[in-house]
Each structure stands twice: as C-alpha cells, then as structure tokens.
Amino acid sequence: MTTGLIPGGQPPDPRPSGLRPPQQRRDQDGQGSPHVDDRTRSSVITARAAASFEPVGRSVATARSFVRDTLQGWGFADIVDDAVVLTSELVTNAVVHAGTHADVLCLRSEDGVRIEVGDRYPEREIPLQGSPATMGSPDREGGRGLQLCAAIATRWGVDYTSTHKQVWFQLDLPDRPVGTRTAGPSLPADLLPLADSRVRVAVVQIDRAGAVSAWNEDAEELFGYAADQVTGKPLTDLAAWPHTPGTGTGIAEALQLSRWEGSYGIRGASGRVTPVYASHLRVRDTDGEPSTVCLLVRDHERAVLQTPSRLPASDSTPTDGQSADPFEVFIGSPAPDDLDGLLQRTVERARDMLDGDSAFLLLATDDETELEVRASTGLPSARQRFARVPVEAGPGRYGSARMPAVHEDLLAVPGAVPLLNGTGMRSVVTVPLKVEGRLTGSLGVAAEAPGRYTNEEALRLQFAADRIALAVESARLGELERLRRGSLSFLVEASDLLAGTLDRDQTLALMAQMTVPTLATWCAVYTIADQASDPYLSYVLHEDEELIDGIKSLLSKIAPPDPVPTPGARVWAAPGEAAHEAALRSSMRSLGLTGGPTHQMSSGIGPTLATASAVGGETVVLPLVARNRVIGMLTLGKPTDEHFRQEILELAEDLSRRAALALDNARLYSERTAISQSLQRSLLPPGLPDIGGVEVDVIYRAAGEGNEVGGDFYDVFPISDGAYGFAIGDVCGTGPHAAAVTGLARHALRLLAREGLSGPAVLERLNSAILDEGARSRFLTLLYGEMRPQPDGSAELKVVCAGHPLPLRLRQDGTVEPAAEPQPLLGVIEDLELYEQTVTLDPGDVLLCVTDGVTERREGTRMLGDDGLTDVLATCTGLTAGAVAARVMRAVERFASDAPSDDMAILAMRVA
C-alpha cells in the first residue's frame, strides 16, 4: 500500500488525463438519475490523502483502517462509520471482484468529505436506482456497493476512462451549532473532575526514531528534566510502560499509530514514576518527516485530554429495523484487539453508561477463588492494578462476586468492597461476568454520592456484562496463550544461560539480570552457606543503577526473610515498611522537626525518598530449594503501590527452581575445585633452589580444565653439600590418576637420593615401588640427574634417561646435541639394568629437558618432533634459562591452533 497526505490548499486534479467529468445518465422518460451528480467540485479542498491497495483480500481491511484514520485525523468522527462501510464495499468490488488494484482518494472540504475509489476494470454499466432489476441484491455477495452509495451517500457518481473506472461518493457533515463538536452535561462544581490549582499539559514531540525532539515548560515542571537533558533521548528511557512480555501493545507500536490515548508512567528526575494520561497524534511536516506529538497530564486529570464517547448509549440503538451487534454497541467499533485495551474500554463505557465517577473490572483466577484487578478508571490504578480480592468475601449475596450487588452507601458497611477503601466512593453496583455458567470476572461502577444505583442500573450493567463476557474471556485466553509461549521461551533461554556457567558469582548475577526488568523492578538474592548459617544478602539489582546502593543499604538494616522451604511466592512486608519509615524520618529531619540542624540532612532526602519509592510496592520472596535444602531466597519487588500479576509470579517460581539448582551446582563445583587444587598443589615442588653459578627455570602446563597437576612432573632439590638432584618425568595418562603416581615418584626420588644412592640405584628402587602398586601402577618415563658446580665455572652432570625424551645440550656456538642415551622406562619390567652418563656443561651451555607433550605437539598430520625442538633451541644462544624456556613454550603454542591435549613440562638449566 502506498499513501500520501497533503494538508491544506487546492490539490491538482487527481483524475487521469482524458477523464471526463461525471455525466448525467437519462432514463427513457428523459429524467436524470437522482443518484448521479452533474456538478463539478466547486468546494475548496483543504486536505487530500491517497492510497493504493494491491488486489489481495487483506487490502480491504487495510483500506478501512486508512479511511478511518484519515477521517478521524481530520475531525470527521460523525461520518467515519458511513465512510468506512462505503469504502469497504467499493474496495471489495475492485480487489476481489474486479481483481485489480484499488486507488483510494480522500478529499476534505469545509462541509464534508469526498472519497473516490478507482479500479482498472472499465465496466460501463451504471445500475439505476429506479431500475430494481439492475441493482444488487442485499443477499448477494457482490453488487451492493452502488446500492449502498445510493442509500447512504449525500451524492455519488461513476467516472470512466479507457483504463480506469472510478466510483465516488460525498458525505456532508451533519448540521450542528457553530463551534460545537461534542459536549458533556452541565455538572455541579463538586462533581467536576479534581485537578491541581493549575493544570499542566506536557507537550513532548517524538521523532521518527522514537527520540525526544521537543519538551515544553510544563513537561519540565511535571517531570523535573530540563529540555536539554532529555532532547535526543529515546522515550523508552523515560516511559514506564504497562506492558507484559508477549501481550498488549508496546510503546514502539503506540508511537506508530495515527492516534492513541491511554495511561502509562514517566520516570522523573527524582527516580519516581508519575502516572500520566496521554494523547498521541502522529503528524508529518512539510518535508514529509513524520513525528508524534504527545500531550500528557497527571493521570487523575485525564478529563482534560480524554476523548468522550462518540454517541451516548441511548443514541446507538439501530433504527429502521436494522440489527446491530450488542457487543459493538457497548464497546464501539472497532473493538480493541488486545485484552488491556478491551478491558479499559469496557470500564470507561460502563462508567459513562451509568454516569458513574469510577469503574473497575476484575478477572477470575483459574480456580475461581480470587479476582485480580485488571482495569479501572477514576481510581488510583497504579495502586490497584493486579491486586487480588477473594471471590467469596463473606456470607450472603452481597459478599459474593457471583451475584449482582448494589451498595447504596459504603459508609454503612465498611470494607464491603475493599477495592474502594479510601477512594471516596459511596455507592457501587457490581455484576459478574460469566461464560457457560463459569465465573470469569466482575464489573463494577461506583459514584461519590450515596444512593445513586438501584436494581434497574444493576440490570442494565448485567445486560452489558453478558454481552462482553465471551469477548473478554476469549481475549484473556489469547493473552494467556501468548504469555505462556513467551514464558516458555524465557525459561529455555534462562536454562541455557544458567547451564553455561559453574561460577557462583556469575550465577547470582545471571539470576538478577534475568529477573530485572522482565519480572520485577528490583530483586535481591540471599544465600545460605549451611544449615547453621543465617541468610546473607549476596546480590541486589534495580533497573535504575543509581538506586542499587540505597536498596542494598536498606535491606542490610532489616532482618532477612525466613528461609521457609514452602514452594511459591509469599509477600514480605518488611522492606516496604522500612522504606516508608526511612522516608518519613528523612522528611521530618528536612523540615527541622527533630530539633537538629536541617542543612545536615537535606542532602540525603533525595536518595532516601527515591529508595522508598523504589521498594514501597509489593515485595515477594521465593525460596531457592536444591536437593531438599533451602540454599537461599529470591526477593522480587515493585515500586510504590504496584502489585505482581499471578502469571509473573508463576514464571518467577519456575525460574527460581532452575536458578536454585544452578546455584547449588556452582557451589558444589567451587568446593570440589578448591579441594582438588589444594591437593594438586601439594604435589608440586615448594620452589626451586638457588644453585651458585647455574640458572634454573621451569614452565609447567597441566592439561584439562581445573587441573594444576597432571601426569608430567619435575623437581630440583639439594642432595648434599654442593650436589643437587633434578628430575623430569611423564606418567602414562593425565588427570588425577596420573597425578597420584606423580606424587609417589617425586617424593620417592628425594628420599632415595638423599640416602646417598647413585642414580641407577634410585631409579631401580622407584621402579619396584611403582610395580608394588599393582593395578594402580602406571609406567613412567624419567630423566634423573645429579649436578655438581665446579670451581672452574663448569658443571658436572650424571644423567640417567629411562625411556624419556633425550635432554638437549646447546653450546655457545649454537650447536645442539643430545646429552644422554635412551634406556628402558620404569613400571614395566622388574629387573632393570640402568647406567649413568657424565656430561660437563661449560659456561654459557644450556641443558634443555622436556616431556613428550612438547615434542608430540600436533597440527593435523604435522608434529613438532625432536628435530623441530632442536631447531627452536638453536635460536636461543645467549639467552637466559628463563628466556630459553619461554621461547620453547611459545613455539609449542604457536605450532598448533588447538589447545594442548597433553601435559607439558620444560626444565632449562644454564651455566652462567
């Protein structure tokens, strides 16, 4: 669909070239047809809107919406319904019956509107009103468009060209007093809507991207922001939109509508949300750039902006024997397509029908034991929304929501209607909404004066409730289905996120971030270390980060909730009470009522009041139960006077079960990791000894997440005066089982070497100890040696290489050669015949010892191997021992992109 709108002025003639003016068709007696206009358009055209629709079925509905929005925007509400009916029939003829595009043109003049519908199928026959045989039958699907034009339109006609046919009709505005469009009854001053001494109307303009482009002085006064503070910011940063995920209309959708009215909140500079009633009008400038003008007043001053009903209930009765849908008569057409809009329209129409001061509608829970407030008008809706009352509040007819009830004076029966306590309402009539005998809700209308309602009003209201009950229940079930689908998607995503981490702190942060702001305005997580510990406040989050510290301080000063394992959410009143008391004390100090200096306390009143507003609403606690033990509590909160809806609490309960298991898994993993790392660290050498004249450095990497020790090991230790032992080995396998043999080998080497045994004798006894382990034994490759620094600056080494990769010697001239010969590995055969070899390292020489995790580093079919290690070591001439080890490790890591799959140890010794 393509559209265009040109306000003001005389537009060019929209007809195609060659289009003849409408001609009067004559019948046989020469009289003109009464339904064809032979006059040219002489009225001044003040606005024009055009649209083109494709030849598909959905275009008819789109054309209806286009005409309705256009005429309502021009202020022609009185003729909207007639224009929509005629347009619908003519567009249906074009796109359904003729099968061509439909071009719709709306022309506004001073006395009415002219709408032209053109198609591209030039049928020239014009049915005449005086020839019934040629007119379409009302019972036929097609052919009714021209008949309706003749019956409804002030004037109409048909224009032809060789390629187009155009049917037009004109509707004149009804006569009414000059300057009057709609007016309400004259009311006594005490019944007029209550407003402040000065009504402030905030004017906010929103650009195409949803950002604030204009902000007037009343907006500054109402919300506390100067224009330069909010210009350019998205309206979504300021608006507290009453929107549940998966249901209703969001703020982005509302800003795209041509007109919209409703209630939401604006978060002011103080952090508090001001309930407002808003009227949105979407316009465009002379350059075609669209924007939305928002008029906002305080919610209790909504009468300033709220559009009155088009027609009183008594005027909406069809005439001339025509029938109308009672639901549309009460709700109006078109009915809102979302539940919240339908309920709000219902309470407003019910209030107007009985001339009440307020109205409310409650929906029943699935078990029909409670009623939940879903819509109200004339009442503090923010305080009442989603509040719950029992269906059976007392014995008798007046205590049950299942029967109509009239209370002539609520002062005579205090608490009869808890919803109206403290609202000033004196008389009320309530009726049930039922579907197939099942209670689905309750509708009520109240007035400030006593004795306003009788059984007659109850019957009228019950008649209306019976007509809308099915539509409300259908919309409620649709919302519930959308909410359940959204809840399922939310829980799936939450489960994935929680399963993706085993870190306790990250799990706590995820719990809070998934909760705020989707389920609550703020949340706090308490954890319990063990059965004897008290709950500890571990995490606090608010959708406004500036309020987190204040909430955390407030919660730390009150006792935590009791760790009750009973499933489900329970109300916790302590935070709200503490917040109200703190705000009261702060306000009194700022006024100097405590006798102290006021200037010392005035700086703290802002955060205190903001905190009180943030946590002053309903607060609920859900237990975090895992493995039959309460490990913490999830606390959810709303700002001042707001309530949770039951579907949100059920979703939060499902989330708490998943979060509790994830938090307990993180705790168990942290404990296991801490124990494992403590044991593994005990298997590593405490440190490297300081050997005079010899540099020693080691790099060690254990494979596997969380492992600090694996199957590879190293050690350098003093044996006797002037002698040092060194070893590097590799136990078959990785992980804890290999680490157990590692501990045996390293400690046995130290004990045997310090007994004065030679290298071969040390390894032979270690071999016997490994074989004694039986099924737990693992074969072991080991390079063991003893080092004695010499007076001339060299170092003498006696080395035994039992199945281990050969040590490499780097001379000062850059040559690299093996420093030992291979011998049998340990842990395989009982009788070993090992021998030691003597190697002398000259000053500047380097001895490099590695495990096979270094030489067997792979990238596809390539392997680093002994030759690759030799090439790397050859480039290390003149480097320190630490630099040599680091260069070798860097070369190993760069050889392949994958993480190492085997343990690695590098021992470098350089004679200084």
Side-chain angles (χ1 to χ4, degrees):
M1 181 188 79
T2 57
T3 63
L5 180 64
I6 305 174
Q10 176 72 32
D13 194 335
R15 295 173 295 178
S17 60
L19 183 64
R20 299 189 301 274
Q23 300 295 322
Q24 184 179 19
R25 180 168 178 173
R26 303 281 179 177
D27 55 17
Q28 292 181 356
D29 61 2
Q31 298 301 318
S33 301
H35 61 286
V36 179
D37 187 12
D38 61 355
R39 297 176 300 169
T40 59
R41 291 174 298 188
S42 59
S43 299
V44 176
I45 303 301
T46 57
R48 171 184 182 270
S52 180
F53 303 92
E54 298 179 355
V56 293
R58 64 176 180 272
S59 294
V60 179
T62 309
R64 287 198 296 264
S65 299
F66 164 69
V67 172
R68 180 177 297 280
D69 291 343
T70 300
L71 268 60
Q72 286 181 340
W74 288 348
F76 291 166
D78 295 324
I79 59 175
V80 164
D81 290 338
D82 290 343
V84 168
V85 169
L86 296 180
T87 302
S88 178
E89 290 294 335
L90 297 180
V91 174
T92 300
N93 291 339
V95 303
V96 176
H97 301 303
T100 73
H101 282 72
D103 301 319
V104 180
L105 175 67
C106 301
L107 300 174
R108 182 182 70 182
S109 63
E110 298 174 351
D111 54 356
V113 65
R114 174 181 172 122
I115 297 179
E116 301 177 356
V117 179
D119 61 44
R120 300 167 193 185
Y121 186 80
E123 171 64 47
R124 294 184 177 276
E125 181 181 358
I126 304 178
L128 302 179
Q129 188 177 18
S131 304
T134 62
M135 293 294 288
S137 170
D139 298 327
R140 293 176 53 199
E141 181 179 357
R144 296 180 302 200
L146 300 184
Q147 183 185 25
L148 288 174
C149 286
I152 298 177
T154 306
R155 289 183 293 277
W156 70 282
V158 184
D159 295 341
Y160 291 101
T161 70
S162 59
T163 58
H164 288 75
K165 179 181 68 179
Q166 184 171 269
V167 182
W168 60 268
F169 62 87
Q170 181 166 331
L171 296 172
D172 292 342
L173 292 176
D175 294 334
R176 55 182 172 223
V178 176
T180 300
R181 289 194 53 211
T182 65
S186 177
L187 296 176
D190 57 346
L191 297 181
L192 294 175
L194 181 64
D196 293 341
S197 57
R198 175 187 171 187
V199 177
R200 296 188 178 274
V201 180
V203 181
V204 182
Q205 192 157 7
I206 311 300
D207 61 19
R208 180 199 296 265
V212 176
S213 59
W215 185 270
N216 72 341
E217 294 181 358
D218 279 0
E220 295 183 16
E221 181 66 26
L222 284 175
F223 310 123
Y225 296 108
D228 57 354
Q229 292 180 280
V230 295
T231 302
K233 289 187 176 181
L235 182 61
T236 52
D237 290 354
L238 306 175
W241 194 259
H243 174 54
T244 301
T247 65
T249 300
I251 186 171
E253 292 84 356
L255 291 175
Q256 296 301 316
L257 299 176
S258 59
R259 281 185 178 272
W260 183 90
E261 287 187 26
S263 299
Y264 52 91
I266 296 293
R267 186 174 292 104
S270 65
R272 300 187 64 179
V273 174
T274 301
V276 298
Y277 188 83
S279 176
H280 296 177
L281 174 64
R282 191 163 172 81
V283 298
R284 66 173 181 169
D285 59 20
T286 54
D287 296 328
E289 180 65 21
S291 63
T292 302
V293 177
C294 305
L295 306 179
L296 304 98
V297 297
R298 294 183 179 91
D299 192 64
H300 64 272
E301 297 171 343
R302 61 168 56 199
V304 177
L305 299 181
Q306 193 166 18
T307 302
S309 304
R310 278 201 307 264
L311 293 174
S314 59
D315 296 339
S316 60
T317 305
T319 59
D320 300 332
Q322 300 176 358
S323 61
D325 184 354
F327 172 75
E328 290 190 358
V329 170
F330 181 72
I331 294 297
S333 179
D337 56 358
D338 64 293
L339 179 62
D340 290 337
L342 178 61
L343 300 182
Q344 191 63 36
R345 179 81 64 85
T346 298
V347 296
E348 291 171 358
R349 291 298 170 88
R351 177 199 60 187
D352 296 341
M353 184 179 72
L354 298 187
D355 193 21
D357 296 312
S358 64
F360 51 88
L361 194 151
L362 302 85
L363 294 184
T365 56
D366 292 338
D367 57 5
E368 297 185 32
T369 60
E370 290 184 306
L371 294 167
E372 185 178 67
V373 180
R374 291 299 303 270
S376 64
T377 180
L379 296 174
S381 57
R383 177 169 64 90
Q384 304 292 353
R385 186 168 170 82
F386 300 125
R388 291 197 163 200
V389 296
V391 170
E392 307 291 344
R397 169 181 174 180
Y398 296 102
S400 174
R402 302 181 188 276
M403 298 290 292
V406 177
H407 292 275
E408 296 182 354
D409 193 349
L410 292 176
L411 293 182
V413 191
V417 184
L419 186 65
L420 300 180
N421 290 345
T423 62
M425 300 298 158
R426 295 283 298 275
S427 56
V428 61
V429 53
T430 61
V431 296
L433 277 69
K434 294 184 177 181
V435 175
E436 297 180 350
R438 182 172 59 87
L439 180 69
T440 61
S442 178
L443 177 63
V445 178
E448 295 179 352
R452 287 281 298 276
Y453 302 116
T454 64
N455 287 336
E456 181 180 352
E457 282 79 13
L459 290 175
R460 290 179 60 195
L461 189 61
Q462 184 67 70
F463 181 82
D466 292 341
R467 297 303 179 272
I468 66 171
L470 184 59
V472 169
E473 179 66 4
S474 177
R476 187 188 73 86
L477 293 176
E479 179 197 67
L480 186 60
E481 178 62 24
R482 290 190 296 272
L483 183 62
R484 285 174 176 170
R485 287 200 300 268
S487 300
L488 181 60
S489 176
F490 173 79
L491 291 175
V492 169
E493 182 180 357
S495 299
D496 289 342
L497 291 173
L498 291 172
T501 179
L502 287 172
D503 182 83
R504 175 183 176 277
D505 294 337
Q506 189 173 1
T507 301
L508 290 172
L510 284 174
M511 290 171 57
Q513 291 166 7
M514 287 184 294
T515 303
V516 176
T518 305
L519 305 181
T521 306
W522 65 272
C523 83
V525 182
Y526 290 85
T527 57
I528 303 175
D530 51 58
Q531 300 284 356
S533 301
D534 293 328
Y536 173 75
L537 182 61
S538 299
Y539 203 91
V540 175
L541 184 65
H542 190 281
E543 61 181 5
D544 186 350
E545 294 182 357
E546 295 181 356
L547 298 177
I548 294 177
D549 291 339
I551 297 176
K552 187 181 299 184
S553 175
L554 178 70
L555 294 179
S556 64
K557 296 176 182 178
I558 62 177
D562 295 330
V564 179
T566 306
R570 69 181 192 275
V571 176
W572 185 30
E577 295 173 354
H580 293 158
E581 292 176 2
L584 179 61
R585 289 195 301 268
S586 179
S587 300
M588 294 178 64
R589 286 196 299 267
S590 68
L591 297 174
L593 299 181
T594 59
T598 60
H599 67 276
Q600 297 179 358
M601 299 297 178
S602 59
S603 61
I605 186 172
T608 303
L609 293 178
T611 302
S613 176
V615 303
E618 188 174 52
T619 303
V620 297
V621 177
L622 297 105
L624 299 175
V625 181
R627 298 176 176 90
N628 299 320
R629 187 174 72 87
V630 180
I631 64 171
M633 286 87 70
L634 177 63
T635 302
L636 308 180
K638 286 280 190 179
T640 300
D641 296 333
E642 290 194 17
H643 297 268
F644 286 96
R645 60 184 303 176
Q646 185 62 24
E647 292 83 1
I648 294 298
L649 294 180
E650 292 173 356
L651 181 58
E653 185 178 355
D654 287 339
L655 175 64
S656 68
R657 286 195 291 266
R658 289 163 170 80
L661 188 59
L663 185 62
D664 198 47
N665 288 339
R667 178 187 62 83
L668 294 175
Y669 178 79
S670 299
E671 292 178 356
R672 191 198 72 174
T673 301
I675 294 172
S676 175
Q677 291 177 348
S678 177
L679 293 175
Q680 290 182 40
R681 281 192 293 269
S682 68
L683 301 178
L684 295 175
L688 298 177
D690 186 11
I691 305 176
V694 178
E695 300 174 359
V696 180
D697 208 332
V698 175
I699 295 179
Y700 183 82
R701 297 284 189 274
E705 183 180 357
N707 291 332
E708 293 191 8
V709 177
D712 292 5
F713 69 96
Y714 69 92
D715 201 0
V716 181
F717 55 92
I719 298 175
S720 60
D721 293 340
Y724 297 88
F726 65 92
I728 184 169
D730 184 2
V731 178
C732 175
T734 61
H737 297 293
V741 180
T742 296
L744 170 65
R746 192 178 68 80
H747 290 93
L749 283 175
R750 287 197 173 208
L751 291 173
L752 295 172
R754 287 171 177 170
E755 290 294 325
L757 300 176
S758 64
V762 168
L763 269 59
E764 289 170 0
R765 285 167 172 75
L766 176 59
N767 180 62
S768 299
I770 294 174
L771 292 175
D772 289 343
E773 291 293 308
R776 296 182 299 176
S777 67
R778 292 169 177 260
F779 63 81
L780 167 68
T781 68
L782 180 64
L783 171 66
Y784 173 74
E786 296 180 1
M787 174 187 296
R788 292 181 181 273
Q790 302 299 314
D792 60 357
S794 63
E796 181 183 79
L797 281 67
K798 294 183 178 181
V799 182
V800 180
C801 186
H804 198 78
L806 300 179
L808 297 179
R809 177 181 181 179
L810 172 65
R811 297 182 181 273
Q812 295 187 41
D813 58 4
T815 60
V816 178
E817 60 185 9
E821 297 177 354
Q823 300 184 58
L825 51 77
L826 308 181
V828 179
I829 58 178
E830 294 184 1
D831 297 328
L832 288 178
E833 295 183 3
L834 303 175
Y835 59 91
E836 62 184 9
Q837 297 174 271
T838 302
V839 179
T840 301
L841 297 180
D842 297 327
D845 289 354
V846 175
L847 184 70
L848 178 66
C849 309
V850 299
T851 57
D852 60 3
V854 174
T855 56
E856 294 180 2
R857 177 73 163 150
R858 293 181 180 273
E859 174 70 17
T861 58
R862 299 186 306 119
M863 186 172 72
L864 179 64
D866 295 334
D867 294 339
L869 181 62
T870 299
D871 294 339
V872 174
L873 183 59
T875 64
C876 298
T877 304
L879 299 181
T880 63
V884 171
R887 177 170 292 187
V888 171
M889 178 57 72
R890 189 163 54 249
V892 171
E893 291 174 343
R894 292 178 177 177
F895 186 79
S897 57
D898 296 338
S901 59
D902 195 5
D903 304 326
M904 292 186 293
I906 300 173
L907 172 62
M909 295 181 291
R910 178 179 180 274
V911 179

